[in-house]
Amino acid sequence: MQKISTLFALIFFGLFLTMGCKKTPEPSPEDPLLMNAVASYDNDKVIINSIGSVFMGTAGPQPVDFDKTEIWVSEGSPSDLKLLETIHEKQTELTDLRPDKMYYVAVKGSKGDYWSALSAPILVIANPLKAVKTLWQPTKGSNTYLSPASTYSLGQSQDAQTITLTHLASGKAQKLTYKSTLLFKTWGTNSEQVIFETSANQRRAYVIYDVVKETFSEFALPSTAHVWLAALSPDGKKIAYTDYNRTGNVWVYDTDTKTDKKTALPQPYDMEWTNDSRALLVHRYGATSQESQEVVLYDVQKDAVTKALFTTPYKNSLQSPKLSPSGNQLLFSSTLSGQPHLWLYDLRTEKLRPVLKSTFQFGWLSASEFYAVEEGAAPKVLLYQN
């Protein structure tokens, strides 16, 4: 009996040593070093951070150390990368970049004599748009939405339970309450309505809050609709949606004519109405490649895509595109530079500019002004002019 107990003790001690001495994964030809480049735009500097990892089965990518970094750069195209420098640091500043040019950056890493493959290239533009001023500091832990012309702000707690609507000129604030949980969707025409998504009978539903009358009204969906993805027009009269029971294409329901029309538009990634409630800004996978994404303008009356606005570079994605009231500029969030960033794209000049890191709270205030929330320990609502 004593021998058996001793044997179990030795086995347990061996397992303890194995677990306690578990080593950090080491890159090798069998466990390749995977490199990523990330650009930051801080204080008029472009900083490239190099990140190494090893893919460890079900644990996924695990960060690892590496000895040296090669920085590869090209101008205008990711297919012409050239070695700029080899450094022992994980971070470097790119200098002498022209603000009117697009650059692509990729990195390699080494561990001993072993070198990784070249990382996927990221886009770098040394011309970030700076905020004009700070409008105010919102409550931490809430989402902030400014109405066009900055007439109202709407703050919604992250648990969606508290909604505060504030008239900015007078400072008058009111708490909005409803029988079910509300999620902000968009501002209505002239900022006199706020459109929310909610649920009824285990289905998506939509309500409109009249700011002047201080009342809620339900948007009357067709009885056959089982909404999946939807966008309500600012005038509160139309809804474009995809249906759980009728997959494949977008439907448009008009409350004035009571018509529910199947369109020629395939199901997109996302969509929202333009300010005039006549067209849809559609975010979808690329028409020529599923590894890119694009933003197009779809004319509801013509039942056709009338204009391609932006296509991401190969293997890049974007989120939450918003078209300016003039139709000349596009805001969207994307990882073009290796991490989430707000970008401004001018459709006339076809120029891109980085704006702000890691934000999904932004919107147009006029044809030439927009706001964005700088997130963090002390969030700020920033005003930008272009």
Side-chain angles (χ1 to χ4, degrees):
M1 185 69 179
Q2 179 66 34
K3 289 183 179 179
I4 295 175
S5 299
T6 303
L7 179 60
F8 273 110
L10 288 172
I11 292 173
F12 178 81
F13 183 67
L15 287 172
F16 175 80
L17 284 177
T18 301
M19 294 171 64
C21 298
K22 186 177 181 181
K23 295 182 179 180
T24 302
E26 288 286 329
S28 68
E30 290 74 32
D31 295 308
L33 173 61
L34 307 173
M35 295 295 295
N36 288 286
V38 174
S40 298
Y41 306 93
D42 299 314
N43 301 318
D44 296 322
K45 295 180 179 180
V46 177
I47 306 298
I48 301 298
N49 293 279
S50 301
I51 301 171
S53 63
V54 168
F55 193 84
M56 300 297 293
T58 56
Q62 300 296 305
V64 295
D65 194 21
F66 51 98
D67 301 326
K68 289 189 265 186
T69 308
E70 288 184 354
I71 308 295
W72 293 67
V73 179
S74 67
E75 181 182 316
S77 171
S79 61
D80 192 30
L81 292 162
K82 292 182 174 59
L83 179 62
L84 176 68
E85 59 180 350
T86 303
I87 58 176
H88 287 83
E89 295 78 23
K90 308 296 190 294
Q91 187 180 89
T92 188
E93 179 184 353
L94 294 185
T95 58
D96 301 322
L97 301 180
R98 294 173 55 183
D100 59 335
K101 295 293 183 181
M102 295 174 61
Y103 297 89
Y104 289 88
V105 177
V107 296
K108 283 185 178 182
S110 74
K111 187 69 174 178
D113 295 330
Y114 167 69
W115 279 91
S116 74
L118 197 63
S119 71
I122 62 170
L123 179 65
V124 172
I125 298 177
N127 188 25
L129 185 65
K130 296 180 180 179
V132 175
K133 65 178 180 180
T134 298
L135 296 175
W136 79 86
Q137 289 187 283
T139 304
K140 185 180 178 182
S142 66
N143 295 321
T144 300
Y145 309 96
L146 277 182
S147 70
S150 305
T151 308
Y152 295 93
S153 75
L154 186 139
Q156 182 164 25
S157 60
Q158 291 183 351
D159 63 5
Q161 298 306 306
T162 303
I163 301 175
T164 305
L165 180 68
T166 304
H167 184 264
L168 295 176
S170 65
K172 178 186 176 183
Q174 55 179 307
K175 300 285 186 182
L176 304 188
T177 58
Y178 193 67
K179 59 186 179 182
S180 55
T181 301
L182 299 174
L183 296 175
F184 173 83
K185 291 297 289 183
T186 190
W187 294 95
T189 304
N190 300 323
S191 303
E192 293 180 352
Q193 296 86 29
V194 191
I195 299 172
F196 294 97
E197 180 180 297
T198 186
S199 62
N201 301 319
Q202 298 183 329
R203 293 191 176 192
R204 284 187 174 93
Y206 299 87
V207 296
I208 302 171
Y209 180 76
D210 189 302
V211 175
V212 177
K213 297 178 181 177
E214 299 185 4
T215 57
F216 284 100
S217 61
E218 296 182 4
F219 181 87
L221 287 165
S223 58
T224 55
H226 191 178
V227 174
W228 183 1
L229 170 71
L232 230 69
S233 62
D235 63 10
K237 296 180 178 180
K238 294 183 286 293
I239 185 171
Y241 68 99
T242 56
D243 196 299
Y244 278 102
N245 300 324
R246 299 178 291 181
T247 58
N249 287 61
V250 172
W251 292 73
V252 173
Y253 177 68
D254 190 315
T255 58
D256 280 348
T257 62
K258 300 294 188 294
T259 55
D260 191 24
K261 175 186 174 184
K262 181 180 180 181
T263 72
L265 182 66
Q267 179 175 317
Y269 186 81
D270 199 3
M271 58 186 170
E272 70 172 39
W273 289 85
T274 54
N275 286 352
D276 59 9
S277 299
R278 295 180 179 178
L280 286 168
L281 185 69
V282 177
H283 169 206
R284 65 185 188 182
Y285 291 106
T288 58
S289 171
Q290 291 290 302
E291 293 186 313
S292 65
Q293 294 181 11
E294 65 181 6
V295 181
V296 299
L297 206 58
Y298 168 81
D299 188 300
V300 174
Q301 186 173 1
K302 295 179 180 178
D303 193 14
V305 171
T306 55
K307 190 175 184 180
L309 304 181
F310 181 76
T311 302
T312 63
Y314 179 68
K315 289 188 177 180
N316 274 281
S317 62
L318 61 85
Q319 287 181 293
S320 307
K322 299 183 186 301
L323 189 65
S324 66
S326 64
N328 292 327
Q329 293 179 307
L330 190 68
L331 282 170
F332 60 87
S333 179
S334 178
T335 54
L336 294 175
S337 283
Q339 62 180 328
H341 219 95
L342 179 62
W343 291 84
L344 174 67
Y345 179 67
D346 192 302
L347 277 70
R348 298 159 299 182
T349 64
E350 298 185 348
K351 296 289 186 181
L352 266 171
R353 295 185 74 177
V355 180
L356 187 65
K357 181 177 71 175
S358 301
T359 185
F360 295 94
Q361 300 178 62
F362 57 88
W364 289 98
L365 302 176
S366 69
S368 59
E369 291 185 327
F370 63 90
Y371 77 93
V373 178
E374 182 180 73
E375 299 171 1
K380 300 175 183 178
V381 180
L382 303 176
L383 176 68
Y384 292 85
Q385 293 176 341
N386 54 289

